Amino acid sequence: MKDYPSNLKTAQLETKLGPMMAVADENGLYLLEFITCQSLRKKLKAVIIPGETSIIKSIKAEIAQYFEGKINQFNTPIHLTGSPFQKRVWEELRTIPFGETRSYLEIAKSLKKPTAFRAVAQANGANQLAIVVPCHRVINANGKLGGYNGGVDRKQWLLEHERYFFTNV
C-alpha cells in the first residue's frame, strides 16, 4: 500500500509564529509544517496543487483556535506516513498533554524500548505534522529543549503558549 495518494492539495495557514503549509486530501492531513522547514518535494512524492479540501479547512480552523488558546485537542483526521516504529513514536507523542514535556528516553521507555532513545529522536525529527503530532513537547533528558525543525525559538514559544493556556485546564 502506498503511503501517499496520487493527488493532494496544499494551502498556507497564517499563524503567530509564521506561515505553515498544510497538505491534505479529503480523507486526512498528510503534512503540517512551518514553511521554513524541509522541502515538500523531497518528502511527498505526489502531485500537489493549490487548493483547499475539507481537511485543510478543518486544520486551518483548529490551528487558529490553538493559537488563540481556545482548543486543547485536534480532531482533524491525520495520515501518518512512516515506518511502523515512527508511527508508534508519533502516536505516543499524541498522548503527551498540552503544556507538558517528555524526554526522548521517557518516550523510548513508554514504547518498551528503553535503549531506542536515539531512534525516538530521529522519528521525532521526521514528524510531518507539526503541532498536531506534538514533537515540540519532546526534550532532552537533561531538560534542555534540543532541536526542532521549526526552530528552537518556535519550540520554546509553543511550550510557553501551551503552559499559559492549557495547564490546569
Side-chain angles (χ1 to χ4, degrees):
M1 183 173 160
K2 281 177 42 174
D3 276 344
Y4 299 103
S6 59
N7 292 301
L8 299 171
K9 292 189 179 176
T10 183
Q12 184 171 316
L13 292 70
E14 295 302 325
T15 76
K16 291 180 180 182
L17 295 180
M20 294 185 82
M21 180 70 61
V23 176
D25 63 12
E26 288 297 336
N27 299 310
L29 183 68
Y30 286 80
L31 182 75
L32 180 64
E33 287 191 344
F34 290 100
I35 290 180
T36 58
C37 293
Q38 301 169 350
S39 167
L40 292 174
R41 285 255 176 239
K42 290 182 180 179
K43 286 189 171 188
L44 301 176
K45 293 177 171 89
V47 175
I48 302 174
I49 58 174
E52 282 196 345
T53 65
S54 59
I55 298 296
I56 289 175
K57 289 176 185 172
S58 174
I59 198 61
K60 272 187 174 183
E62 287 186 340
I63 287 293
Q65 292 172 329
Y66 167 85
F67 276 103
E68 292 169 8
K70 294 182 178 176
I71 64 165
N72 64 353
Q73 178 177 333
F74 293 99
N75 295 311
T76 299
I78 64 171
H79 186 83
L80 298 173
T81 55
S83 71
F85 180 78
Q86 288 174 322
K87 290 177 183 180
R88 285 182 56 211
V89 170
W90 299 330
E91 288 296 345
E92 187 65 24
L93 298 183
R94 296 184 78 202
T95 69
I96 304 171
F98 282 63
E100 293 185 22
T101 58
R102 301 288 184 273
S103 71
Y104 299 105
L105 179 58
E106 289 172 314
I107 299 290
K109 286 178 179 178
S110 69
L111 295 172
K112 306 216 182 322
K113 299 216 174 249
T115 60
F117 56 90
R118 285 186 184 91
V120 167
Q122 288 176 333
N124 197 58
N127 174 33
Q128 296 178 340
L129 297 173
I131 301 174
V132 175
V133 175
C135 57
H136 63 279
R137 295 185 197 142
V138 184
I139 60 172
N140 294 331
N142 64 7
K144 296 195 183 220
L145 291 184
Y148 183 61
N149 286 341
V152 176
D153 290 341
R154 282 189 177 120
K155 182 174 188 167
Q156 180 68 43
W157 191 96
L158 290 167
L159 291 171
E160 289 173 5
H161 170 74
E162 290 182 1
R163 287 179 184 131
Y164 180 80
F165 282 107
F166 304 118
T167 304
N168 301 318
V169 173

